Amino acid sequence: MTLTIDGLTGGYGNLTILKDVSFTVPSGKIVGLIGLNGAGKSTTIKHIIGLLTPQTGTIDLDGKTLKTDPTGFRAGLAYVPETPVLYPELTLREHLDMTIMAYDLDKDAAWREADAMLKRFRLDNKLDWFPAKFSKGMQQKVMIVAAFMTHAQLFIIDEPFTGLDPLAIHDLLDIVTAKKQQGASVLMSTHILATAQQYADEFVLIKSGKVRATGDMASLKQQFGLQDGSLDDIYMKMTEEKA
Amino acid sequence: MIKLWRTRLRQHVQEQQKYLRLVFNDHFVLILLILFGGALYAYSQVVKTLQPSGWLALGMALIFAGFLSFGQLATLAEAPDQIFLLPKAEAFKVYLLRARRYSMILPGTLLTFTGLAMWPLFAQLGQDPASATIALLLALWLFKDLDLWLQFLQRYHLPIRWHHQRLLLLIIAFIALFGGFYVHPAMTLLVAFILNLVFRWQLKSVLEHGRLNFSALVSLEDARMGRVYRFYNLFTDVPGLANSVHRRRYLDGLLKLVKPQQTTTWLFLYLRGFLRGGEYLGLYLRLLVIGAVIVAVLSPWWLVLGFAILFLYMVGFQLLPFYYQYDDIVFVHLYPVGPEQKPAAFERLLTVLLLIEVLAFTLVTLIRLQWVAAGSIFIGGGLFVWAFTRWYARMRLKQHRVMV
C-alpha cells in the first residue's frame, strides 16, 4: 500500500508548522523520517493518522482518504506512538482483545501471531497484568505487539527505539522487515541514525516544517555533495544549513 | 525546611479554601445547620432518659474511639520530594515536626467539641461534670498526640518493625475509654498519661536511629490527599483526580456479559473502565446507597418518588463526563470503528446502570411494604431513565461536542 502526501500544510489551530510537505511511502519500503526535535516529524505523523486536519494538501492511502473512506483508511493503518499510550483499566490480554475487536480480526489467527510476538518480547507470562504499570520499555513492546498484530498495510512508528533493550530493538527490526517483505509500507521517525541508515530504504529529511530532501542513501549523498558521508554526516550538514 | 513548610502550608490552605467554598455553598450550609440543630435537640432529649450502664459506657467508648481515629498526619509532601529533597532527608525532621503540630489542630478541635458535649451526659449520670469533662478532654488530646506520633514514625525506617500500631493504640484507647465511662474519666486520663510519657521517653532514642522513608512519606500523603479530593469531588469537579485502578477479579463475571466483537468495542472498554476505575464506580455506589437509605426512611409516596428521581438524576448527571474518559488515548481515534458506536455504547451503559438503581429503590420500598411508592418508583423511575438517556444525555453530549 502506498501512502502519498501531497502539498500538506498544517499545524495546531492557527499555528502553521508544516509548509507544503510532499513525499510518498511506497509499498514494500521502509522510509525513515529524519529531523531535529521540533522540525515537524510528529506533526506530520499526527496529520497522517488523522489527529490533525490539513489546512491544505491531501494524504491518501491507495486512493482512500480520511474524508472519503474513514473506516477503510483507518483499517489500513497501524501506529506505534512515541510515548506508550495505554488504557489504565485494561490488562495486557484485554488490550490485545480491544485491537482484535476494533480491527475486526480473526480471533484465533490474531492471537497466534500475538502470542509469538509476546514470547519474543518475554511478555507472554504477563497477560493478566495492567500494562499501565509496566516499565517504559515493556509498554513500548505492548504498543508494538498491538500494532503489528493488525493486518494494516501502513505502519507508522514514532521513535520506536528509546527505552527498548538492544535485544528488543533487533526483534522489532525483524518484525518490521518481515512486514515489509509481505508488502507493507513503513514510515519510521527516529534519531538513531546508524540504525536508520542500515534498515531504511528511503529517507525524508525534514527541517523547520519543510521537506529538505528525499531519496535513498545514494541520492542523498549526491544531493548534499558528500560522496563518502554517512547519514550522520548528511544530518549534521543539513542542520548547519541556513533556514 | 521551616520555610518550605510555611510555603507549602500557605499553598495548601489557599487550595483548601477554594474547594471548601464550593463544598459549603449556601444551600448545603443551610441543610447542615438544620441537621445540626435537629441533632442537638434530639441529643438533649435522649440525654434525659439515659441511666448509667455497661452498654452505655461501651457505646460511648466506641463513639469516642471512632472520633480518635479521625485526623491523619498531614505532611504535604509531594512526589518530587523524594528526588529533589533526598540530600535533605535529615533536615526533614524539623519539617515533619511542624507538620505534626499543624495536624493536631483539626482533630484537637473536633475532640474538644465532642468532649464538651459530654458535660450534660456526665451530669445526668451523677458525676461531677467539670472534673469528668476536663479529664476526658485531656485524655483524648493525649491519645491523639500519641496517635500522631505513631503516624510520624510510620514515615521512618525504624530499627524495630511493628505492625498495626495505630490499631493497637485505638484498642487500648477504647478499653481505657470504656473504663473511664464506666467508672470515671480520670482512669482514661491515667492510661493516656502513662502511655504518652513512656512513649516520649523512648522517642528520642528511636528517632536517632530512624531514617526517613521517602516513599512511605509520599504514598501516605498521596493517599490522604486523594481521600480529601474524592470528598470534594462529591460536590465539585476536582481536576486531575487520578484514581487508582484495581483489578477487581470478582467482577470478571459481569465483564463476560459483553461478547467481544467489533460492534461492542466501545462497550467492552467502557464496562471495564467503569468497573475497575475507582472514580465513577465509587460515585455510583455511594449515591446508590445514600439514595436507598433516604428512600427507605421517607414516607409519603410522592416524596419518596421525588427523591428517587432526584437521585437518578444526580447519578446520571455525574456519570456523563465518563463519556470523555478515553478521549486522550490516541488509539480510540485510530480504530476503524464507526463513529456512532461510542455514543450508543455509552447510552447502553448509562441506561443499565440507572435501571439497576430504579430496581434497587423499588426493592427498598417493597421491603417496607409501600406498594404505591414501589409502583410509582418503578414506573416513574423507568420513564425518567428513558427520557434522561434518550433525550437529556444525548443533548448534553452533543452540546459538548459542538463546543469542543
Side-chain angles (χ1 to χ4, degrees), chain B residues 151-162:
Chain B
Q151 293 189 42
F152 184 93
L153 291 183
Q154 270 184 338
R155 273 86 174 165
Y156 276 84
H157 290 292
L158 296 175
I160 12 159
R161 297 285 307 162
W162 28 334

Side-chain angles (χ1 to χ4, degrees), chain A residues 2 21 32 47 63 93 97 103 108 117 122 139 141-142 146 184 225:
Chain A
T2 306
V21 168
H47 276 95
R93 185 192 306 280
D97 278 334
Y103 287 86
D108 298 326
M117 281 190 280
R122 282 159 291 124
Q139 293 185 344
K141 292 173 182 176
V142 175

Side-chain angles (χ1 to χ4, degrees), chain B residues 286-297 311 357 360-361 364-365:
Chain B
R286 264 195 303 275
L287 283 176
L288 182 70
V289 169
I290 297 174
V293 169
I294 288 186
V295 164
V297 296
F311 270 88
E357 203 181 342
F361 290 166
V364 169
T365 40

Side-chain angles (χ1 to χ4, degrees), chain B residues 294 304-316 357 361 384:
Chain B
I294 288 186
V304 176
L305 176 66
F307 268 92
I309 287 186
L310 180 68
F311 270 88
L312 283 171
Y313 172 75
M314 284 204 293
V315 170
E357 203 181 342
F361 290 166
F384 176 80

Side-chain angles (χ1 to χ4, degrees), chain A residues 1-4 59-65 72-73 76-77 154 185:
Chain A
M1 211 177 260
T2 306
L3 171 76
T4 315
I59 298 166
D60 88 84
L61 194 56
D62 271 359
K64 289 176 189 151
T65 71
F73 183 91
L77 175 149
L154 170 67
S185 36

Side-chain angles (χ1 to χ4, degrees), chain A residues 49-51 70-72 74-81 85-91 93-95 97-104 107 128-130 133 143, chain B residues 245-249 252 255 258-266 268-269 272-274 276-277 322 325-326 328-339:
Chain A
I49 63 181
L51 290 186
T71 309
R74 290 195 175 117
L77 175 149
Y79 170 57
V80 180
V85 185
L86 294 151
Y87 300 105
E89 299 98 353
L90 297 196
T91 63
R93 185 192 306 280
E94 287 161 352
H95 271 88
D97 278 334
M98 257 314 261
T99 309
I100 292 175
M101 287 160 74
Y103 287 86
D104 208 8
K107 206 171 170 177
D128 289 314
W129 298 30
F130 286 129
K133 293 179 182 160
M143 307 311 308
Chain B
V245 172
H246 296 283
R247 178 72 177 81
R248 301 204 175 99
R249 219 171 264 281
D252 280 3
L255 298 178
V258 177
K259 282 220 170 62
Q261 53 200 13
Q262 200 192 14
T263 48
T264 54
T265 307
W266 272 102
F268 181 94
L269 181 61
R272 276 166 178 73
F274 179 76
R276 287 184 191 158
F322 186 54
Q325 181 87 340
Y326 295 103
D328 287 343
I329 291 185
V330 50
F331 291 98
V332 300
H333 305 287
L334 302 189
Y335 292 143
V337 168

Side-chain angles (χ1 to χ4, degrees), chain A residues 51-235:
Chain A
L51 290 186
L52 295 173
T53 319
Q55 290 163 9
T56 54
T58 55
I59 298 166
D60 88 84
L61 194 56
D62 271 359
K64 289 176 189 151
T65 71
L66 258 181
K67 259 193 200 135
T68 54
D69 182 6
T71 309
F73 183 91
R74 290 195 175 117
L77 175 149
Y79 170 57
V80 180
E82 183 181 8
T83 349
V85 185
L86 294 151
Y87 300 105
E89 299 98 353
L90 297 196
T91 63
L92 173 52
R93 185 192 306 280
E94 287 161 352
H95 271 88
L96 302 184
D97 278 334
M98 257 314 261
T99 309
I100 292 175
M101 287 160 74
Y103 287 86
D104 208 8
L105 305 174
D106 175 64
K107 206 171 170 177
D108 298 326
W111 266 110
R112 260 199 307 280
E113 272 184 58
D115 277 333
M117 281 190 280
L118 289 171
K119 242 193 203 90
R120 216 165 168 168
F121 286 133
R122 282 159 291 124
L123 285 173
D124 49 330
N125 53 353
K126 298 197 170 53
L127 273 171
D128 289 314
W129 298 30
F130 286 129
K133 293 179 182 160
F134 286 178
S135 73
K136 162 137 204 263
M138 277 159 71
Q139 293 185 344
Q140 191 73 8
K141 292 173 182 176
V142 175
M143 307 311 308
I144 292 167
V145 175
F148 283 93
M149 71 190 290
T150 65
H151 300 309
Q153 286 301 303
L154 170 67
F155 291 90
I156 302 206
I157 317 176
D158 197 356
E159 193 58 73
F161 303 122
T162 46
L164 287 184
D165 57 69
L167 187 63
I169 292 180
H170 275 276
D171 289 335
L172 170 63
L173 289 168
D174 283 349
I175 293 172
V176 171
T177 315
K179 280 283 179 192
K180 167 189 153 180
Q181 272 152 12
Q182 290 165 24
S185 36
V186 179
L187 179 67
M188 181 167 77
S189 110
T190 181
H191 292 296
I192 317 285
L193 299 177
T195 315
Q197 183 176 355
Q198 196 182 344
Y199 286 90
D201 303 297
E202 292 177 12
F203 303 90
V204 174
L205 271 57
I206 290 197
K207 192 183 176 186
S208 315
K210 289 183 191 145
V211 175
R212 168 63 184 80
T214 58
D216 58 8
M217 230 12 235
S219 137
L220 285 185
K221 281 178 190 171
Q222 204 157 29
Q223 290 177 51
F224 283 87
L226 291 166
Q227 286 314 324
D228 309 316
S230 64
L231 187 57
D232 198 54
D233 300 327
I234 292 172
Y235 187 85

